[in-house]
Amino acid sequence: MPGRLLRRMTYQEQNKRMWDERVPIHVAGEFYDVAGWKAGRCSLQPFEAAELGSVEDKRLVHLQCHFGMDTLSWARRGAQVTGLDFSEPAIAAASKLAGEASLHARFVCADVFDAPAALGQRYDVVYTGIGALIWLHDIRRWAGVVRELLAPGGCLYLVECHPLTDVFEARSLTAQHDYFHDPAGTVWDEPGTYADQTAVTEANVSVEFRHPISDVLSALIEQGLVLELFHEHDHTAFARWPFMERHADGTFRLPAGIPRLPLLYSLRARLPA
């Protein structure tokens, strides 16, 4: 209708539109290597199983699970897994992948902030993997969701990109952005995807939020969780800068001669029984 004002999309709607479009690109692309995973490759980082410990017969929920490959890697280790994501195409792809791998899993489509109501149960492990927290505007509210989902004695295990890396521009180690949280977020309008920068895409606007590690830790402590483990790692799962080198274990590291930076961090925090 002429003159009618169009409703502005929320940041969640913008991000969901972007992720919905990228699911089939990721499933079919070389970056995730779904064929290799089906043949037995583990998609988790080399240190994750050791840091979390045995998940045999434990109830594990993976928040913001994308198309479920990491979720199902925990299922291969004996966990009773549930994956949650806000993208319908992602959940459909995850369910399909579970069937193809003959793994039992429950996948639920819901916003992470709605997870307690959508899932209706508590878990021994709440797991969140690389690249999840930047899509959330309120880290304290997220920590409250984690607390609601944990059974007494259960733990959160988190692996995430180190927020220090977001300070630098995309192609060099030149500081460009603040380290500290900006409630308004950063709006990006970029084609392609980290998994395939040449991919043709239309939904290219997204909103990201930086969360300093101190904000994450403080939010969890406020919810009564007890920190058991915190590590920083000098490698990551993708080429954050074009000059990074891929190693035989699949990790990406800065070349020799460049001072090492923390690229990932991991933590385990437990809700007292």
Side-chain angles (χ1 to χ4, degrees):
M1 180 182 297
R4 181 179 180 181
L5 292 177
L6 295 177
R7 183 180 65 84
R8 186 176 180 180
M9 282 194 288
T10 65
Y11 89 85
Q12 292 101 327
E13 290 170 330
Q14 291 274 22
N15 290 346
K16 182 179 181 300
R17 185 167 174 263
M18 186 269 292
W19 278 107
D20 285 351
E21 183 183 36
R22 280 151 181 76
V23 168
I25 298 172
H26 291 180
V27 172
E30 294 181 5
F31 180 88
Y32 280 96
D33 184 21
V34 171
W37 182 87
K38 288 180 181 179
R41 180 182 65 82
C42 180
S43 63
L44 303 172
Q45 290 296 297
F47 56 82
E48 293 191 54
E51 289 187 348
L52 180 54
S54 174
V55 295
E56 187 73 31
D57 294 327
K58 291 185 177 180
R59 296 162 298 169
L60 180 151
V61 61
H62 180 182
L63 300 181
Q64 298 167 270
C65 69
H66 197 25
F67 68 91
M69 203 158 64
D70 288 352
T71 321
L72 296 171
S73 287
W74 289 115
R76 282 177 169 170
R77 293 183 173 273
Q80 302 171 25
V81 300
T82 299
L84 179 137
D85 199 274
F86 71 166
S87 167
E88 290 93 347
I91 290 301
S95 298
K96 183 173 184 290
L97 185 61
E100 292 170 346
S102 299
L103 292 169
H104 178 71
R106 176 191 181 202
F107 287 103
V108 176
C109 187
D111 187 277
V112 67
F113 293 124
D114 299 326
L119 298 175
Q121 68 177 91
R122 294 181 181 269
Y123 295 86
D124 304 306
V125 179
V126 173
Y127 171 73
T128 297
I130 295 171
L133 297 187
I134 61 170
W135 307 108
L136 306 178
H137 71 287
D138 189 339
I139 205 68
R140 296 177 74 179
R141 184 179 172 192
W142 165 84
V145 168
V146 171
R147 169 65 178 81
E148 286 189 64
L149 289 174
L150 281 173
C155 73
L156 164 73
Y157 181 60
L158 166 68
V159 181
E160 187 54 279
C161 296
H162 201 292
L164 180 63
T165 62
D166 292 330
V167 170
F168 303 104
E169 64 181 20
R171 304 193 67 82
S172 74
L173 293 176
T174 301
Q176 185 179 36
H177 305 287
D178 290 341
Y179 174 77
F180 296 98
H181 177 64
D182 177 3
T186 302
V187 179
W188 299 95
D189 187 351
E190 296 181 334
T193 164
Y194 60 87
D196 183 358
Q197 294 183 3
T198 65
V200 178
T201 55
E202 295 181 359
N204 298 326
V205 176
S206 63
V207 184
E208 299 179 8
F209 301 87
R210 290 186 297 278
H211 300 292
I213 290 174
S214 58
D215 285 4
V216 177
L217 293 177
S218 295
L220 295 172
I221 291 169
E222 287 174 4
Q223 291 295 327
L225 275 70
V226 178
L227 185 66
E228 295 183 333
L229 172 153
F230 175 79
H231 289 153
E232 295 173 297
H233 307 271
D234 66 355
H235 57 84
T236 187
F238 62 99
R240 173 62 179 80
W241 298 283
F243 46 82
M244 293 187 74
E245 298 176 344
R246 185 167 191 168
H247 287 234
D249 62 358
T251 62
F252 289 83
R253 300 171 186 266
L254 291 168
I258 295 180
R260 292 187 301 159
L261 294 172
L263 304 178
L264 293 177
Y265 73 95
S266 56
L267 66 84
R268 189 178 70 231
R270 193 169 302 276
L271 181 66

